[in-house]
Amino acid sequence: MRAALSAIEHAHDAFAERTGLLTGTLRIGVVNGTANTRIPTCAAALHRAHPGVRITMVDGTSRTLIESVHARELDLAVAVSEVAPLPGELDSITVMMDEVVAVAVSGGFPHASGVSWPDLAGRPIISYTHESALAELIDAARADHQIDLMCVTNDPLLHVAMARQGAGIALTAASMLPATAPAASDKDDRPDGCRDPDELDVRHFNPPLTLRKRLIWRRDADSSPAVRAFLNQVSKSDA
């Protein structure tokens, strides 16, 4: 009897997926920068295909969102996990490549291009709180090099605003920089008086400090029709 009921339920779910009659709520955890991934496009496509599915997006840090997916409090999450491995019950797909860069006011770096950890010694640093997965990535990369964290916040816009005011050097996600910020400075040979005080210098680490924003879910959660439908949209966007 149980097997028969399960087969009927599965057939009902499959029919609902094909006909766009899926209903319910899909709970997705999101970190800063999710707007720059393909998740909004996939969510919109899901709504067009299945208008009965409501999507609730919950802000948080990567660590807490991953824990919430593991505990079944969220169906999916967009998060970063570069240092700590994901629990074995979780699966993931990369939805965006990003990197941590160093940002300062114009003329804030001693060299023409690039930045290294010794360049940051003794300089005031603006970056993420210890709850952030990007802070874990930065700590792992800098190894024994000490940095002076003068301000920590998980808001990348505040990182840039503080750097623009000359408060220090921001270590932040490149995807969150203003569109007008240069990817690398090629104007350091200009006299100081010719520089725009509001201009930002953006430097890449060597080697690059890259990270992946990943869509994460429980391996057994793809049996949920709504989760499966969303993952199908993500798969289509990757084609």
Side-chain angles (χ1 to χ4, degrees):
M1 175 64 75
R2 182 175 299 173
L5 290 174
S6 177
I8 292 171
E9 183 178 0
H10 180 76
H12 178 272
D13 290 342
F15 176 78
E17 284 188 70
R18 288 196 303 271
T19 59
L21 297 177
L22 283 180
T23 60
T25 299
L26 192 63
R27 304 159 300 173
I28 306 177
V30 294
V31 293
N32 279 327
T34 298
N36 298 323
T37 72
R38 49 194 161 120
I39 294 303
T41 299
C42 296
L46 178 72
H47 173 69
R48 288 191 293 270
H50 304 286
V53 176
R54 298 291 178 263
I55 300 174
T56 297
M57 293 192 177
V58 179
D59 299 323
T61 60
S62 292
R63 187 181 307 158
T64 57
L65 294 179
I66 291 170
E67 290 172 354
S68 294
V69 172
H70 191 247
R72 304 180 193 274
E73 295 166 356
L74 292 171
D75 299 305
L76 304 136
V78 179
V80 175
S81 181
E82 295 295 337
V83 178
L86 289 174
E89 296 86 354
L90 303 186
D91 205 346
S92 70
I93 184 173
T94 299
V95 293
M96 182 182 182
M97 293 300 299
D98 204 348
E99 69 175 302
V100 173
V101 293
V103 182
V105 292
S106 181
F109 293 103
H111 305 302
S113 63
V115 69
S116 66
W117 294 107
D119 294 333
L120 304 181
R123 309 286 296 276
I125 301 298
I126 304 148
S127 197
Y128 296 89
T129 71
H130 71 275
E131 290 91 357
S132 170
L134 272 67
E136 288 184 328
L137 179 64
I138 290 167
D139 286 345
R142 68 182 176 86
D144 294 331
H145 295 285
Q146 298 299 312
I147 57 176
D148 177 19
L149 286 172
M150 60 81 59
C151 178
V152 292
T153 171
N154 290 328
D155 184 348
L157 298 180
L158 273 176
H159 294 164
V160 175
M162 293 285 288
R164 194 185 296 278
Q165 293 300 317
I169 296 174
L171 305 184
T172 194
S175 64
M176 299 299 290
L177 294 177
T180 55
S185 175
D186 57 2
K187 303 176 182 178
D188 285 351
D189 56 346
R190 291 174 299 166
D192 287 346
C194 296
R195 292 183 177 131
D196 182 346
D198 289 330
E199 189 175 86
L200 292 172
D201 274 353
V202 180
R203 301 300 173 93
H204 301 272
F205 283 91
N206 187 18
L209 196 49
T210 58
L211 60 113
R212 297 164 293 168
K213 285 188 171 70
R214 296 195 268 178
L215 181 66
I216 297 168
W217 66 94
R218 285 189 63 94
R219 295 182 189 277
D220 56 6
D222 62 4
S223 60
S224 160
V227 170
R228 190 164 59 240
F230 189 81
L231 292 177
N232 183 49
Q233 296 298 336
V234 174
S235 178
K236 288 180 180 177
S237 73
D238 198 29

